[in-house]
Amino acid sequence: MATTAMDRWLPGIRVARGYRRAWLWPDVRAGIVVTALLIPAGMGYARVAGLPPETGLYATIVPLVAYALVGPSRILVLGPDSALAPIIAASILPLAAGDPTRAVALAGLLSILVGAFMLAGGVLRLGFVTDLLSKPVRVGYLNAIALVVIASQLPKLLGVPVEDGSMWDELAATARGVVDGDAVPAAAAVGLGSLVVILVLRRLRSPVPGVLVAVVLATVATWALGLADELPVVGALPAGLPAPALGGLTAGDAWSLLAPAAGIALVAFTDSAVLSRSLAARRGETVSGSAELSGIGIANIAGGALGGFPVSASSSRTPVAEQAGSRTQLTGVVGAALIVVFILLVPGLTAYLPDASLAAVVVAAVLGLIDVPALVRLWRMNRLDAVLSLAASAGVLVIGVLEGIVVAIVLSLLAFVDRSWRPYRAELGRVRGLRGYHDLSRYPESGDRIPGIVLVRFDAPLFFANGEVFNDWVRSRVDAAGEDISTVVLAAEPITGIDTTAIDELVELDDYLHARGVRLVFAEMKDPVVDQLRRYGMAERFTPDRFWPTVGAAVDDLTGTLRGDLEGTRWDDVAGAEDDEADPDG
């Protein structure tokens, strides 16, 4: 029992017990390679979040070590993320009021709150909450986030001094600065040159990360050419390990950060879960969404307690680790150890690292978030999904980053309601040459209604938003069938639930049909839904003789085992057989 509990909460211990010697060098090698990305990316995203660059390293070291112990995935690399950085900045900077020390404390508290939400979700097995952000909405949201980050980095990339403001204010100020000649030529050369190096080497699939090459070249050039006085540089890092930095906080701060923390937790876990599941599937493994939620939550709590800020799985660094041969979370531990060595032994290396080069690292990373092909595919496949994606982007760009999360969630829920409100529905009948009952709209030339019966299927649960749609549609099918209709058979297998509003519509439909001498009966209705009808007090109205286990059995009984010859085709046992159910096509 104790071993099982330990394996559940500390999967890293289980991996360590079964660790193979053959995995050691691949893990160490992958850790070395990934470190080349962890350091500049961590510092860059810290700057985007409005925090000192060393906090990005602290937010990398601690979560990597914590996740190695508690994370269920063997390969996921955690760290600061481009999608979260602007949300963090929007959450903490207004409360920090220009005080860097307070900003760091608020970022740590935010990380702890994010972790607490995720841990609670994992304990309560709420991994399904990621479905609150549908793929189209997530694509639109991330596209807009990428544009926000790029806009925030353009002034640094080009060496244009601008004041903090909205994305549009910063873009306008940058454009004016370039036109007026305020850009620092050396900064622009370093920034654009670094960006070109990163993108070219990425295109060429260089075994040496382009980020590392660009950062090293920019640092060496700045030192050799004496450019440190001409362009902004990161400066030497403070030589010290991650430590608590939560001083001066109040209960009011925690209250103010609750809503942003919930939004960040949702965004972070949505992207992490998709990445984790994809990688696990490629490796023939299975990862529990709730266990992932707990693991990333604990990593965020640990990081926030020791000077970090909210993190998630990295969609850029994780694939690099995989390609480098990573086998287990020892890769992340090696990366964390190397960052510690960097901070303790050579913190002065960043004294000549240009801000413009760091901005290029961030811009190159977020370019990967922009997915125009996905938007084009959505437009071809489903115009509504494409419009929702564009609306999610507009929400972030026009209303704001934090508000954009709410817009994204609302749009996802509206998309669900729309699909449930107007689900696919079909009138079923016989089709020459096919057994069973099929959607007549698919076979206009060879399909026929069953004499005296209207057989319908409604492909969604019945609830407040679609009850009236269902009622009106069934009436329209009865009207279209003519005068000789005695029974409506509802093929109810797709109906997985009926709420208290929809039951009123069902009763109203039953009364309407009864007044016309038509009886409403059900086939294939699931037992839990039948139980719902009983709880609603419908047992006397919808008596057992109105339910059949299959569509075939219902038609068989209602037509007296109808057999016929239709244009030379013998209809043998078309009803009453277990396999003669409503066809799911459509």
Coordinates of all heavy atoms in Angstrom, one line a residue, residues 459-527:
D459 N -29.3 13.7 -32.7 CA -28.0 13.3 -32.3 C -27.4 14.2 -31.2 O -26.3 14.8 -31.4 CB -27.1 13.3 -33.5 CG -27.4 12.2 -34.4 OD1 -28.3 11.3 -34.1 OD2 -26.8 12.1 -35.5
A460 N -28.1 14.3 -30.1 CA -27.6 15.2 -29.0 C -28.5 14.9 -27.8 O -29.6 14.5 -27.9 CB -27.6 16.6 -29.3
P461 N -27.9 15.2 -26.6 CA -28.8 15.2 -25.4 C -29.9 16.3 -25.5 O -29.7 17.3 -26.2 CB -27.8 15.6 -24.2 CG -26.4 15.3 -24.8 CD -26.5 15.5 -26.2
L462 N -31.0 16.1 -24.9 CA -32.0 17.1 -24.9 C -31.9 18.0 -23.7 O -31.9 17.5 -22.6 CB -33.4 16.4 -24.9 CG -33.8 15.6 -26.1 CD1 -35.2 15.0 -25.9 CD2 -33.9 16.5 -27.4
F463 N -31.7 19.3 -23.9 CA -31.5 20.2 -22.8 C -32.2 21.5 -23.2 O -32.8 21.7 -24.2 CB -30.1 20.3 -22.4 CG -29.2 21.1 -23.4 CD1 -28.6 22.3 -23.0 CD2 -29.0 20.6 -24.7 CE1 -27.8 22.9 -23.9 CE2 -28.1 21.2 -25.6 CZ -27.6 22.4 -25.2
F464 N -32.0 22.5 -22.3 CA -32.8 23.7 -22.4 C -32.6 24.4 -23.7 O -33.5 25.1 -24.2 CB -32.5 24.7 -21.2 CG -31.0 25.2 -21.3 CD1 -30.7 26.3 -21.9 CD2 -30.0 24.4 -20.6 CE1 -29.3 26.7 -21.9 CE2 -28.7 24.9 -20.6 CZ -28.4 26.0 -21.3
A465 N -31.4 24.3 -24.3 CA -31.1 25.1 -25.5 C -31.7 24.4 -26.8 O -31.9 25.1 -27.8 CB -29.6 25.3 -25.7
N466 N -31.9 23.1 -26.8 CA -32.4 22.5 -28.0 C -33.7 21.8 -27.9 O -34.2 21.1 -28.9 CB -31.3 21.5 -28.5 CG -31.1 20.3 -27.6 OD1 -32.0 20.0 -26.7 ND2 -30.0 19.6 -27.8
G467 N -34.4 21.8 -26.7 CA -35.7 21.2 -26.6 C -36.7 21.6 -27.6 O -37.4 20.8 -28.2
E468 N -36.8 23.0 -27.8 CA -37.8 23.5 -28.7 C -37.4 23.1 -30.1 O -38.3 22.9 -30.9 CB -37.9 25.0 -28.5 CG -38.9 25.7 -29.4 CD -39.1 27.1 -29.1 OE1 -38.4 27.7 -28.2 OE2 -39.9 27.8 -29.9
V469 N -36.1 23.1 -30.4 CA -35.7 22.7 -31.8 C -36.1 21.3 -32.1 O -36.6 21.0 -33.2 CB -34.1 22.9 -31.9 CG1 -33.6 22.3 -33.2 CG2 -33.7 24.3 -31.8
F470 N -35.9 20.4 -31.1 CA -36.3 19.0 -31.2 C -37.8 18.9 -31.5 O -38.3 18.2 -32.4 CB -35.9 18.3 -30.0 CG -36.6 16.9 -29.8 CD1 -36.1 15.8 -30.6 CD2 -37.6 16.7 -29.0 CE1 -36.7 14.6 -30.5 CE2 -38.2 15.5 -28.8 CZ -37.8 14.4 -29.6
N471 N -38.6 19.6 -30.6 CA -40.1 19.6 -30.7 C -40.5 20.1 -32.1 O -41.3 19.4 -32.7 CB -40.6 20.5 -29.6 CG -42.1 20.4 -29.4 OD1 -42.8 19.9 -30.3 ND2 -42.6 20.8 -28.3
D472 N -40.0 21.2 -32.5 CA -40.5 21.7 -33.8 C -40.1 20.8 -35.0 O -40.8 20.7 -36.0 CB -39.9 23.1 -34.0 CG -40.5 24.2 -33.1 OD1 -41.5 23.9 -32.5 OD2 -39.8 25.2 -32.9
W473 N -38.9 20.2 -34.9 CA -38.4 19.4 -36.0 C -39.2 18.1 -36.1 O -39.6 17.7 -37.2 CB -36.9 19.1 -35.8 CG -36.4 18.1 -36.8 CD1 -36.2 18.4 -38.1 CD2 -36.1 16.7 -36.6 NE1 -35.7 17.3 -38.8 CE2 -35.6 16.2 -37.9 CE3 -36.1 15.9 -35.5 CZ2 -35.2 14.9 -38.1 CZ3 -35.7 14.6 -35.7 CH2 -35.3 14.1 -37.0
V474 N -39.6 17.5 -35.0 CA -40.4 16.3 -35.1 C -41.7 16.6 -35.6 O -42.3 15.9 -36.5 CB -40.5 15.6 -33.7 CG1 -41.5 14.4 -33.7 CG2 -39.1 15.1 -33.2
R475 N -42.3 17.7 -35.2 CA -43.6 18.1 -35.8 C -43.5 18.3 -37.3 O -44.4 17.9 -38.0 CB -44.1 19.4 -35.1 CG -44.4 19.3 -33.7 CD -45.1 20.6 -33.1 NE -45.2 20.6 -31.7 CZ -46.0 21.4 -31.0 NH1 -46.7 22.4 -31.7 NH2 -46.1 21.4 -29.7
S476 N -42.5 18.9 -37.7 CA -42.3 19.1 -39.2 C -42.2 17.8 -39.9 O -42.7 17.7 -41.1 CB -41.1 20.0 -39.5 OG -39.9 19.3 -39.2
R477 N -41.6 16.8 -39.4 CA -41.4 15.5 -40.0 C -42.8 14.8 -40.1 O -43.1 14.2 -41.1 CB -40.5 14.6 -39.3 CG -39.0 15.1 -39.3 CD -38.4 15.1 -40.7 NE -38.7 16.4 -41.4 CZ -38.9 16.5 -42.7 NH1 -38.8 15.4 -43.5 NH2 -39.1 17.7 -43.2
V478 N -43.6 15.0 -39.0 CA -44.9 14.4 -39.0 C -45.8 15.1 -40.1 O -46.5 14.4 -40.9 CB -45.6 14.5 -37.6 CG1 -47.0 14.0 -37.7 CG2 -44.8 13.6 -36.7
D479 N -45.7 16.4 -40.2 CA -46.5 17.1 -41.1 C -46.1 16.7 -42.6 O -47.0 16.6 -43.4 CB -46.3 18.6 -41.0 CG -46.9 19.2 -39.7 OD1 -47.8 18.4 -39.1 OD2 -46.5 20.2 -39.2
A480 N -44.8 16.5 -42.8 CA -44.3 16.2 -44.1 C -44.7 14.8 -44.5 O -44.8 14.5 -45.7 CB -42.8 16.4 -44.2
A481 N -45.0 13.9 -43.5 CA -45.3 12.5 -43.8 C -46.7 12.3 -44.3 O -47.0 11.2 -44.8 CB -45.0 11.7 -42.6
G482 N -47.6 13.2 -44.1 CA -49.0 13.1 -44.6 C -49.9 12.6 -43.5 O -49.6 12.7 -42.3
E483 N -51.1 12.2 -43.9 CA -52.2 11.9 -43.0 C -52.2 10.5 -42.3 O -52.8 10.3 -41.3 CB -53.6 12.1 -43.7 CG -53.8 13.5 -44.2 CD -53.9 14.5 -43.1 OE1 -54.4 14.2 -42.0 OE2 -53.6 15.7 -43.3
D484 N -51.6 9.6 -42.9 CA -51.7 8.2 -42.5 C -50.6 7.8 -41.5 O -50.1 6.6 -41.6 CB -51.7 7.3 -43.7 CG -52.8 7.5 -44.7 OD1 -53.9 7.9 -44.2 OD2 -52.6 7.4 -45.9
I485 N -50.3 8.6 -40.7 CA -49.2 8.3 -39.7 C -49.9 8.0 -38.3 O -50.7 8.7 -37.8 CB -48.3 9.5 -39.5 CG1 -47.6 9.8 -40.8 CG2 -47.2 9.2 -38.4 CD1 -46.7 8.7 -41.4
S486 N -49.5 6.9 -37.8 CA -50.0 6.5 -36.5 C -49.0 6.5 -35.4 O -49.4 6.6 -34.2 CB -50.6 5.0 -36.6 OG -49.6 4.1 -36.9
T487 N -47.7 6.5 -35.7 CA -46.7 6.3 -34.7 C -45.4 7.1 -35.1 O -45.0 7.1 -36.2 CB -46.3 4.9 -34.5 OG1 -47.4 4.1 -34.3 CG2 -45.3 4.7 -33.3
V488 N -44.9 7.8 -34.1 CA -43.5 8.4 -34.2 C -42.6 7.5 -33.4 O -42.8 7.4 -32.2 CB -43.5 9.8 -33.8 CG1 -42.0 10.3 -33.7 CG2 -44.3 10.7 -34.7
V489 N -41.5 7.0 -34.0 CA -40.5 6.2 -33.3 C -39.3 7.1 -33.1 O -38.7 7.5 -34.2 CB -40.2 4.9 -34.0 CG1 -39.1 4.2 -33.2 CG2 -41.4 4.1 -34.1
L490 N -38.9 7.4 -31.9 CA -37.7 8.2 -31.7 C -36.5 7.2 -31.4 O -36.5 6.5 -30.4 CB -37.8 9.1 -30.5 CG -36.6 9.9 -30.0 CD1 -36.1 10.8 -31.1 CD2 -36.8 10.7 -28.8
A491 N -35.6 7.2 -32.4 CA -34.3 6.4 -32.2 C -33.5 7.1 -31.2 O -32.7 8.0 -31.6 CB -33.6 6.2 -33.5
A492 N -33.6 6.8 -29.9 CA -33.1 7.6 -28.8 C -31.7 7.3 -28.4 O -31.2 7.8 -27.4 CB -34.0 7.5 -27.7
E493 N -31.0 6.4 -29.1 CA -29.6 6.0 -28.6 C -28.7 7.2 -28.5 O -27.9 7.2 -27.5 CB -29.1 4.9 -29.6 CG -27.8 4.2 -29.1 CD -26.6 4.9 -29.4 OE1 -26.6 5.7 -30.4 OE2 -25.6 4.7 -28.7
P494 N -28.7 8.2 -29.4 CA -27.7 9.3 -29.2 C -28.1 10.3 -28.1 O -27.3 11.1 -27.7 CB -27.8 10.1 -30.6 CG -28.5 9.1 -31.5 CD -29.4 8.3 -30.7
I495 N -29.3 10.1 -27.6 CA -29.8 11.1 -26.5 C -29.3 10.5 -25.2 O -29.8 9.6 -24.6 CB -31.3 11.2 -26.5 CG1 -31.8 11.8 -27.8 CG2 -31.8 12.0 -25.3 CD1 -33.3 11.9 -28.0
T496 N -28.3 11.2 -24.6 CA -27.6 10.7 -23.4 C -28.2 11.4 -22.1 O -27.7 11.1 -21.0 CB -26.1 10.9 -23.5 OG1 -25.9 12.3 -23.7 CG2 -25.5 10.1 -24.6
G497 N -29.1 12.3 -22.3 CA -29.7 12.9 -21.1 C -30.8 13.9 -21.5 O -30.9 14.3 -22.7
I498 N -31.7 14.1 -20.5 CA -32.8 15.0 -20.8 C -32.9 15.9 -19.5 O -33.1 15.4 -18.4 CB -34.1 14.3 -21.0 CG1 -34.0 13.3 -22.1 CG2 -35.3 15.3 -21.2 CD1 -35.3 12.5 -22.4
D499 N -32.8 17.2 -19.7 CA -32.9 18.1 -18.5 C -34.4 18.5 -18.2 O -35.3 18.1 -19.0 CB -32.0 19.3 -18.6 CG -32.5 20.4 -19.5 OD1 -33.6 20.2 -20.1 OD2 -31.7 21.4 -19.7
T500 N -34.6 19.2 -17.2 CA -36.0 19.5 -16.7 C -36.7 20.5 -17.7 O -37.9 20.5 -17.8 CB -36.0 20.2 -15.3 OG1 -35.1 21.3 -15.3 CG2 -35.5 19.2 -14.3
T501 N -36.0 21.3 -18.5 CA -36.6 22.1 -19.5 C -37.0 21.3 -20.7 O -38.1 21.4 -21.2 CB -35.6 23.2 -19.9 OG1 -35.2 24.0 -18.8 CG2 -36.3 24.2 -20.9
A502 N -36.1 20.4 -21.1 CA -36.4 19.6 -22.3 C -37.5 18.6 -22.0 O -38.3 18.3 -23.0 CB -35.1 18.8 -22.7
I503 N -37.7 18.2 -20.8 CA -38.8 17.2 -20.5 C -40.2 17.9 -20.7 O -41.1 17.3 -21.2 CB -38.7 16.7 -19.1 CG1 -39.6 15.5 -18.9 CG2 -39.1 17.7 -18.0 CD1 -39.3 14.3 -19.8
D504 N -40.2 19.2 -20.5 CA -41.5 19.9 -20.8 C -41.8 19.9 -22.3 O -42.9 19.8 -22.7 CB -41.4 21.4 -20.3 CG -41.4 21.4 -18.7 OD1 -41.8 20.5 -18.1 OD2 -40.9 22.5 -18.2
E505 N -40.7 20.1 -23.1 CA -40.9 20.1 -24.5 C -41.3 18.7 -25.0 O -42.1 18.5 -25.9 CB -39.6 20.5 -25.2 CG -39.1 21.9 -25.0 CD -40.0 22.9 -25.7 OE1 -40.8 22.5 -26.6 OE2 -39.9 24.1 -25.4
L506 N -40.7 17.6 -24.3 CA -41.1 16.3 -24.7 C -42.6 16.0 -24.4 O -43.3 15.4 -25.2 CB -40.2 15.3 -24.0 CG -40.3 13.8 -24.4 CD1 -39.8 13.7 -25.9 CD2 -39.4 13.0 -23.5
V507 N -43.0 16.5 -23.2 CA -44.4 16.3 -22.9 C -45.3 17.1 -23.8 O -46.4 16.6 -24.3 CB -44.7 16.8 -21.4 CG1 -46.1 16.9 -21.1 CG2 -44.0 15.8 -20.4
E508 N -44.9 18.3 -24.2 CA -45.7 19.1 -25.1 C -45.8 18.4 -26.5 O -46.9 18.4 -27.1 CB -45.1 20.5 -25.2 CG -45.9 21.4 -26.1 CD -45.2 22.8 -26.3 OE1 -44.8 23.3 -25.2 OE2 -45.1 23.3 -27.4
L509 N -44.7 17.8 -26.9 CA -44.7 17.1 -28.2 C -45.6 15.9 -28.1 O -46.4 15.6 -29.0 CB -43.3 16.7 -28.5 CG -43.2 15.7 -29.8 CD1 -43.6 16.5 -31.0 CD2 -41.7 15.2 -29.9
D510 N -45.6 15.2 -27.0 CA -46.4 14.0 -26.8 C -47.9 14.4 -26.8 O -48.7 13.7 -27.5 CB -46.1 13.3 -25.5 CG -46.8 12.0 -25.3 OD1 -46.8 11.2 -26.2 OD2 -47.4 11.8 -24.2
D511 N -48.2 15.5 -26.2 CA -49.6 16.0 -26.2 C -50.1 16.4 -27.6 O -51.2 16.1 -28.0 CB -49.8 17.2 -25.2 CG -49.7 16.8 -23.8 OD1 -49.9 15.6 -23.5 OD2 -49.4 17.7 -22.9
Y512 N -49.2 17.1 -28.3 CA -49.5 17.5 -29.7 C -49.8 16.3 -30.6 O -50.7 16.3 -31.3 CB -48.3 18.3 -30.2 CG -48.4 18.6 -31.7 CD1 -49.2 19.7 -32.2 CD2 -47.7 17.8 -32.6 CE1 -49.2 20.0 -33.5 CE2 -47.7 18.1 -34.0 CZ -48.5 19.2 -34.4 OH -48.6 19.4 -35.8
L513 N -48.9 15.3 -30.5 CA -49.1 14.1 -31.3 C -50.3 13.3 -30.9 O -51.1 12.8 -31.8 CB -47.8 13.2 -31.2 CG -46.5 13.8 -31.7 CD1 -45.3 12.8 -31.4 CD2 -46.6 14.0 -33.3
H514 N -50.6 13.2 -29.6 CA -51.8 12.5 -29.2 C -53.0 13.2 -29.7 O -54.0 12.5 -30.1 CB -51.8 12.5 -27.6 CG -53.0 11.8 -27.0 ND1 -53.1 10.4 -27.1 CD2 -54.1 12.3 -26.4 CE1 -54.3 10.1 -26.5 NE2 -54.9 11.2 -26.1
A515 N -53.0 14.5 -29.7 CA -54.2 15.2 -30.2 C -54.5 14.9 -31.7 O -55.6 15.0 -32.2 CB -54.1 16.7 -30.0
R516 N -53.4 14.5 -32.4 CA -53.5 14.2 -33.8 C -53.7 12.7 -34.1 O -53.6 12.2 -35.2 CB -52.3 14.7 -34.6 CG -52.2 16.2 -34.5 CD -51.1 16.7 -35.4 NE -51.3 16.3 -36.8 CZ -50.6 16.8 -37.9 NH1 -49.7 17.7 -37.6 NH2 -50.8 16.3 -39.1
G517 N -53.8 11.9 -33.0 CA -54.0 10.5 -33.1 C -52.7 9.8 -33.4 O -52.7 8.7 -34.0
V518 N -51.6 10.4 -33.0 CA -50.3 9.8 -33.3 C -49.6 9.4 -31.9 O -49.7 10.2 -31.0 CB -49.3 10.7 -34.1 CG1 -48.0 10.1 -34.3 CG2 -50.0 11.1 -35.4
R519 N -49.0 8.3 -31.8 CA -48.4 7.8 -30.6 C -46.9 8.0 -30.7 O -46.2 7.6 -31.7 CB -48.7 6.4 -30.4 CG -48.4 5.8 -29.0 CD -49.0 4.5 -28.8 NE -48.8 3.9 -27.4 CZ -48.2 2.8 -27.2 NH1 -47.7 2.0 -28.2 NH2 -48.0 2.4 -25.9
L520 N -46.3 8.5 -29.6 CA -44.8 8.7 -29.6 C -44.2 7.5 -28.8 O -44.6 7.3 -27.6 CB -44.4 10.0 -28.9 CG -43.0 10.3 -28.6 CD1 -42.2 10.4 -29.9 CD2 -42.8 11.5 -27.7
V521 N -43.3 6.8 -29.4 CA -42.6 5.7 -28.7 C -41.1 5.9 -28.8 O -40.6 6.7 -29.7 CB -43.0 4.4 -29.2 CG1 -44.6 4.2 -29.1 CG2 -42.6 4.2 -30.7
F522 N -40.4 5.1 -28.1 CA -38.9 5.2 -28.0 C -38.2 3.9 -28.3 O -38.7 2.8 -27.8 CB -38.5 5.7 -26.6 CG -39.2 7.0 -26.2 CD1 -40.4 6.8 -25.4 CD2 -38.8 8.2 -26.5 CE1 -41.0 8.0 -25.0 CE2 -39.5 9.3 -26.1 CZ -40.6 9.2 -25.4
A523 N -37.1 4.0 -29.0 CA -36.3 2.8 -29.2 C -34.8 3.1 -28.9 O -34.3 4.2 -29.1 CB -36.4 2.4 -30.7
E524 N -34.2 2.1 -28.2 CA -32.8 2.2 -27.8 C -32.5 3.3 -26.8 O -31.4 3.8 -26.8 CB -31.9 2.3 -29.1 CG -32.1 1.2 -30.1 CD -31.3 1.4 -31.4 OE1 -30.5 2.3 -31.4 OE2 -31.4 0.6 -32.3
M525 N -33.5 3.7 -26.1 CA -33.2 4.7 -25.1 C -32.3 4.1 -23.9 O -32.7 3.0 -23.4 CB -34.5 5.3 -24.5 CG -34.2 6.4 -23.4 SD -35.7 7.3 -23.0 CE -35.9 8.5 -24.3
K526 N -31.3 4.8 -23.6 CA -30.4 4.3 -22.5 C -31.1 4.2 -21.2 O -31.9 5.0 -20.9 CB -29.1 5.1 -22.4 CG -28.3 5.2 -23.7 CD -27.1 6.1 -23.6 CE -26.4 6.3 -24.9 NZ -25.8 5.1 -25.4
D527 N -30.7 3.2 -20.4 CA -31.4 3.0 -19.1 C -31.2 4.2 -18.2 O -32.2 4.6 -17.5 CB -30.8 1.8 -18.4 CG -31.3 0.5 -19.1 OD1 -32.3 0.5 -19.8 OD2 -30.6 -0.6 -18.8

